[in-house]
């Protein structure tokens, strides 16, 4: 959102749907706040702490964002989006083992959510904003693959990227990112000149 700089959308159509579906009422008025020494995470709701962490993450303040994301999870352990954000932050900090554990928890929460597991058009977040369900699903699964790759768990990373390609073969951005990760993983496993590595890299360029 160009106004509040907190919520992200996959395209303009999704953004317009989010605005009409509730973001208009909360844009710039949420409980989230930029983290500072005066920020009181303990007094926030889980949703507000998650959005505060997201805001800090977008501002590249990963340490502060981690604190807010953990606060959100403590308040609501079922908040899948907060787990996804925390896993992404841990990976940025190079703590890939921790990130893998967090992403697995997020995947378990997503599988337990019938709406997310089944796919669909949109999902409404606690603040009333809207995200494409498929985007939420493939981003989480790709993030998990990236953490596996960075942790040098290469066979597992390759399997995860291939799962993304199978489950989201009609999502061009999902395929592009999965092929990119797959190419790097295969290169680390078999070398850059291996036929499978070259094929994955070419597919990433075409996606």
């Amino acid at each position: 959102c160009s106004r509040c700089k907190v919520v992200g959308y996959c395209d303009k159509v999704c953004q317009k749907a989010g605005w009409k579906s509730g973001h208009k009422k909360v844009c710039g008025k949420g409980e989230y706040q930029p983290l500072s020494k005066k920020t009181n995470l303990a007094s926030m709701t889980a949703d507000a702490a998650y959005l505060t962490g997201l805001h800090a993450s977008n501002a590249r303040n990963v340490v502060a964002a981690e604190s807010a994301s953990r606060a959100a999870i403590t308040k609501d352990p079922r908040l899948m989006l907060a787990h996804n954000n925390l896993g992404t932050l841990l990976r940025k900090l190079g703590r890939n083992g921790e990130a893998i554990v967090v992403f697995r928890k997020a995947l378990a929460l997503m599988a337990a959510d019938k709406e997310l597991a089944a796919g669909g058009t949109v999902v409404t977040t606690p603040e009333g904003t809207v995200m494409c369900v498929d985007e939420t699903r493939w981003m989480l699964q790709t993030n998990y693959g990236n953490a596996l790759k960075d942790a040098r768990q290469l066979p597992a990373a390759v399997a995860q990227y291939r799962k993304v390609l199978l489950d989201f073969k009609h999502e061009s951005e999902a395929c592009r990112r999965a092929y990119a990760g797959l190419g790097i993983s295969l290169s680390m496993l078999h070398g850059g000149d291996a036929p499978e590595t070259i094929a994955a890299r070419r597919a990433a360029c075409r996606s």
Side-chain angles (χ1 to χ4, degrees):
C1 176
S2 60
R3 182 182 178 187
C4 69
K5 309 294 185 184
V6 171
V7 183
Y9 299 99
C10 51
D11 54 35
K12 291 184 178 180
V13 174
C14 185
Q15 183 177 12
K16 288 181 179 179
W19 184 259
K20 293 179 181 179
S21 299
H23 185 57
K24 179 179 181 180
K25 297 179 181 179
V26 299
C27 183
K29 302 176 183 178
E31 295 179 67
Y32 70 88
Q33 51 186 286
L35 278 174
S36 68
K37 293 181 179 179
K38 297 181 179 180
T39 303
N40 185 2
L41 291 171
S43 66
M44 292 184 184
T45 64
D47 303 333
Y50 158 68
L51 287 172
T52 297
L54 189 60
H55 185 279
S57 180
N58 290 340
R60 298 183 180 179
N61 188 350
V62 292
V63 176
E66 180 185 352
S67 297
S69 297
R70 288 192 182 281
I73 292 170
T74 298
K75 293 172 183 291
D76 185 358
R78 297 171 299 173
L79 194 54
M80 184 273 290
L81 292 173
H83 284 85
N84 183 45
N85 195 43
L86 177 59
T88 302
L89 293 165
L90 291 171
R91 177 175 169 255
K92 288 180 180 178
L93 291 168
R95 292 152 60 185
N96 295 302
E98 294 177 68
I100 288 169
V101 173
V102 173
F103 282 134
R104 284 175 178 165
K105 177 63 177 178
L107 288 167
L109 290 169
M110 183 173 68
D113 188 312
K114 293 181 179 180
E115 183 179 12
L116 279 173
T121 306
V122 296
V123 58
T124 304
T125 67
E127 287 290 309
T129 57
V130 174
M131 293 179 62
C132 292
V133 169
D134 278 348
E135 183 185 22
T136 304
R137 294 168 65 221
W138 70 250
M139 285 185 71
L140 172 55
Q141 294 197 39
T142 305
N143 286 342
Y144 177 47
N146 292 338
L148 291 168
K149 169 179 63 66
D150 292 349
R152 300 297 191 270
Q153 296 184 27
L154 300 176
V158 168
Q160 182 60 28
Y161 289 129
R162 285 176 172 160
K163 184 178 188 307
V164 173
L165 291 169
L166 180 63
D167 293 349
F168 305 99
K169 57 186 177 182
H170 299 301
E171 296 283 346
S172 60
E173 183 62 16
C175 291
R176 185 187 69 80
R177 296 192 190 189
Y179 272 125
L182 179 61
I184 294 171
S185 300
L186 290 170
S187 177
M188 295 167 72
L189 270 173
H190 307 300
D193 296 330
E196 195 174 12
T197 303
I198 295 172
R201 287 178 172 172
R202 287 176 177 172
C205 293
R206 291 195 302 267
S207 298

